[in-house]
Amino acid sequence: MSRRPLIILAAATASILALAGCSQSSGTTDATTAPSSAATASAALPAPFDGDPVEIALVRQSGAGDYFTQWGAGAAAQAAAANIKLTVTDAQDDNAKQASDLEQAIASKPAAIIVDHGLTDTIEPLVHQAVDAGIPVIVYDLALNDPTGVITTSQSDESMAQGVLDQLIEDVGKGAKVGYVSATGYAALDRRAKVWDEVVADNDLDVVFSTGTVSASTASDNQPLVSAALKQHPDVQAIFAPYDEITKGTVLAVNENDLAGSVKVYGIDISNADIEVITADGSPWVTTSATDPAAVGAAVVRSIALSLAGESTETDVQFPAVTITQQFLADKSITNVADLRTAEPSLLLDDVETADWLPAVSQ
């Protein structure tokens, strides 16, 4: 087995996603699609994967954008490669439904449960209920007050924010007038906010406005908020919008106010749609930081599979990110995530939470 400890990639990497994504079906589906590409396993599947398909429930809370679609595709592909029957439910921003979905998953007594995002107050009690029932649980981007008995996973939100904000400081300098567009109560955004606060203080940034929301239509709902702020503060030099749907709404507002030539936008996450926005002629979105959502979804499935096979005792797994500039995309003629994977193969996470019988899939 080859499992390398996770490392955080420095912001210096080749001019280096938790909330973002396309909504998925709110019903229950069996994700058994074969992987589009996977390295060849060099060993046979161990127990419990060497017999009938292992039943695992994936209880999701998706939002707008295509991050979640890619994440789900990666999880499904990795599950198929590991002889896992992945039963997926998606509450789509409905906290009560996600709680009901998780209750039903617990009642079905699967081999394990994956919880993708969610509201802490609603979901944490049920997570502990599942653990108490003897069901292994792994969570992705769900903040837990007490993670005892649970495998927690996330993007390295701190390094994502730091890489982008280091570039912001390099571009506009200390003391610059800046705006902030985000929301509270979401694990990934809250972690990124801590880095923002530190960078603001350390560099004497003048935060002239803070606004933002997360909703079923995040991009379109943030556009008027940011537009109103820009009308009051047209002299802002840079805006940090640390979630790609928020970033896209911010870009729309900057363009609406004809400020693309003077306002730089810094986001987080990457997708085909994001790359199209970043590389558009005159786009104000100049830097982002991201993981490959498909690779992350696959890695979460590998993490629980290794645990079920008795080959991992990891209780907290972070997936390293890469900071990506507009200039890097232009220099490499990158137009989609497939191109980006070729230019930045570290995004594939093909040496993270793997084994000789469990190589990483790629989409």
Side-chain angles (χ1 to χ4, degrees):
M1 183 177 80
S2 60
R3 295 183 59 250
R4 195 184 73 177
L6 298 182
I7 59 172
I8 305 303
L9 298 187
T13 302
S15 178
I16 278 202
L17 260 179
L19 297 174
C22 247
S23 299
Q24 301 198 1
S25 169
S26 59
T28 300
T29 60
D30 289 335
T32 55
T33 304
S36 56
S37 175
T40 302
S42 59
L45 294 172
F49 302 100
D50 55 350
D52 294 335
V54 175
E55 296 192 9
I56 293 180
L58 171 55
V59 180
R60 309 194 69 194
Q61 177 72 285
S62 75
D66 58 1
Y67 177 96
F68 282 108
T69 295
Q70 295 176 38
W71 194 103
Q78 190 71 69
N83 193 30
I84 292 170
K85 180 182 179 182
L86 194 66
T87 301
V88 185
T89 56
D90 189 350
Q92 295 184 329
D93 233 8
D94 185 333
N95 295 320
K97 184 181 186 308
Q98 189 184 23
S100 176
D101 290 344
L102 186 48
E103 288 174 340
Q104 292 178 38
I106 295 169
S108 71
K109 299 181 179 179
I113 296 174
I114 302 170
V115 180
D116 173 26
H117 290 87
L119 185 65
T120 301
D121 290 346
T122 303
I123 299 303
E124 181 166 12
L126 292 169
V127 167
H128 291 301
Q129 181 180 324
V131 172
D132 291 343
I135 302 172
V137 178
I138 185 169
V139 302
Y140 176 71
D141 261 352
L142 172 64
L144 297 177
N145 295 311
D146 178 11
T148 303
V150 180
I151 301 172
T152 58
T153 66
S154 65
Q155 300 174 102
S156 177
D157 291 294
E158 292 83 358
S159 70
M160 295 175 88
Q162 191 67 58
V164 168
L165 292 171
D166 285 347
Q167 187 64 49
L168 183 154
I169 298 301
E170 181 178 333
D171 291 346
V172 301
K174 295 185 176 183
K177 293 181 181 294
V178 296
Y180 181 57
V181 189
S182 191
T184 60
Y186 299 89
L189 294 182
D190 289 345
R191 287 190 292 264
R192 297 166 194 176
K194 291 181 180 179
V195 179
W196 165 253
D197 290 341
E198 292 171 359
V199 170
V200 166
D202 291 345
N203 294 277
D204 297 320
L205 296 177
D206 181 8
V207 183
V208 296
F209 69 80
S210 294
T211 188
T213 186
V214 171
S215 67
S217 304
T218 298
S220 59
D221 286 349
N222 276 279
Q223 181 180 356
L225 297 177
V226 180
S227 184
L230 288 171
K231 284 178 170 57
Q232 294 183 25
H233 304 282
D235 58 343
V236 67
Q237 297 167 262
I239 301 172
F240 183 44
Y243 160 30
D244 65 347
E245 288 303 301
I246 291 178
T247 316
K248 285 185 278 192
T250 299
V251 168
L252 289 170
V254 171
N255 289 336
E256 176 188 358
N257 286 272
D258 296 322
L259 292 172
S262 59
V263 178
K264 299 180 186 295
V265 177
Y266 298 79
I268 285 181
D269 299 320
I270 201 72
S271 69
N272 290 336
D274 296 341
I275 291 173
E276 184 176 356
V277 175
I278 297 169
T279 58
D281 187 36
S283 173
W285 188 352
V286 295
T287 303
T288 195
S289 186
T291 57
D292 176 351
V296 170
V300 171
V301 171
R302 292 198 302 275
S303 296
I304 191 61
L306 288 168
S307 179
L308 290 174
E311 296 187 11
S312 174
T313 58
E314 296 283 351
T315 58
D316 181 64
V317 182
Q318 289 192 5
F319 305 114
V322 175
T323 299
I324 304 151
T325 65
Q326 186 182 65
Q327 189 63 52
F328 176 75
L329 296 177
D331 290 346
K332 299 292 185 179
S333 300
I334 293 168
T335 60
N336 54 52
V337 172
D339 292 343
L340 183 59
R341 292 186 189 113
T342 300
E344 273 292 351
S346 61
L347 286 167
L348 295 171
L349 302 179
D350 56 5
D351 59 354
V352 173
E353 294 294 284
T354 58
D356 47 11
W357 59 274
L358 189 64
V361 302
S362 61
Q363 292 294 298

